[in-house]
């Protein structure tokens, strides 16, 4: 089923600077083995990235494929580590999910509050608000 995907991310770095990112895309939603998946593509500077969002009862996994390849796993009160592959090289990212709210009633609303650390280069806190609807 075709859906609208709205993502609003606010990034706070360790110095107090903020970055506000909004993505609006059209994607495909489907169910597989009791999980919900949403896949969409976005284009920026002639680079296309495919993003896959897997929604489970208590966990959300976001995978990105393209110029940057990454897997980010969000589960409340969990710490996850994964590789973040960019044209500049591979980095290890650590995610500590402080809050994860998943509401899948009429539409899908997901709120994620997490701390991220990219090796010794970046530390910050991100708030993601995902809205997925027909």
């Amino acid at each position: 089923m075709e859906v609208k995907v709205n993502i609003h991310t606010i990034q706070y770095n360790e110095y107090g600077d903020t970055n506000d990112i909004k993505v609006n895309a059209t994607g495909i939603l489907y169910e597989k083995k009791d999980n919900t998946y949403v896949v969409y593509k976005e284009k920026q500077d002639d680079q296309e990235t495919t993003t896959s969002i897997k929604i489970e009862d208590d966990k959300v996994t976001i995978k990105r494929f393209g110029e940057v390849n990454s897997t980010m796993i969000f589960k409340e009160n969990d710490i996850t580590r994964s590789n973040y592959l960019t044209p500049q090289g591979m980095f290890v990212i650590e995610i500590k999910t402080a809050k994860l709210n998943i509401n899948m009633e009429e539409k899908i609303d997901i709120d994620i509050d997490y701390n991220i650390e990219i090796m010794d280069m970046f530390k910050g806190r991100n708030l993601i608000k995902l809205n997925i609807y027909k």
Side-chain angles (χ1 to χ4, degrees):
M1 155 181 20
E2 192 173 278
V3 291
K4 301 286 184 208
V5 180
N6 294 333
I7 302 171
H8 183 195
T9 303
I10 301 173
Q11 299 175 325
Y12 302 88
N13 72 15
E14 58 193 311
Y15 307 110
D17 299 325
T18 61
N19 191 11
D20 205 314
I21 303 164
K22 291 183 179 173
V23 174
N24 297 308
T26 300
I28 301 295
L29 180 144
Y30 62 94
E31 306 281 332
K32 183 176 166 187
K33 294 184 182 173
D34 295 334
N35 297 314
T36 301
Y37 292 82
V38 177
V39 178
Y40 67 91
K41 294 179 187 294
E42 58 184 292
K43 200 167 188 171
Q44 190 175 3
D45 303 328
D46 290 332
Q47 299 293 329
E48 189 173 80
T49 301
T50 300
T51 301
S52 168
I53 304 168
K54 178 182 180 184
I55 305 163
E56 300 175 65
D57 289 338
D58 64 346
K59 184 165 76 172
V60 173
T61 303
I62 300 176
K63 292 185 177 189
R64 295 175 61 87
F65 309 94
E67 178 88 358
V68 171
N69 291 289
S70 67
T71 300
M72 296 170 43
I73 300 167
F74 304 99
K75 185 173 180 178
E76 196 163 280
N77 299 317
D78 258 18
I79 297 173
T80 58
R81 287 178 189 79
S82 61
N83 293 329
Y84 191 78
L85 182 62
T86 73
Q88 291 77 32
M90 172 97 70
F91 303 100
V92 175
I93 59 173
E94 181 178 276
I95 293 170
K96 297 176 185 169
T97 306
K99 186 178 96 179
L100 173 64
N101 286 332
I102 302 170
N103 182 341
M104 296 182 61
E105 288 172 17
E106 291 176 28
K107 58 181 181 157
I108 300 172
D109 290 312
I110 300 172
D111 292 304
I112 307 169
D113 181 347
Y114 67 98
N115 290 319
I116 185 168
E117 191 171 329
I118 304 173
M119 294 166 63
D120 291 328
M121 301 181 317
F122 177 83
K123 287 182 184 175
R125 176 181 176 214
N126 290 352
L127 301 174
I128 298 177
K129 191 174 238 357
L130 274 158
N131 303 109
I132 302 162
Y133 54 94
K134 294 180 192 175

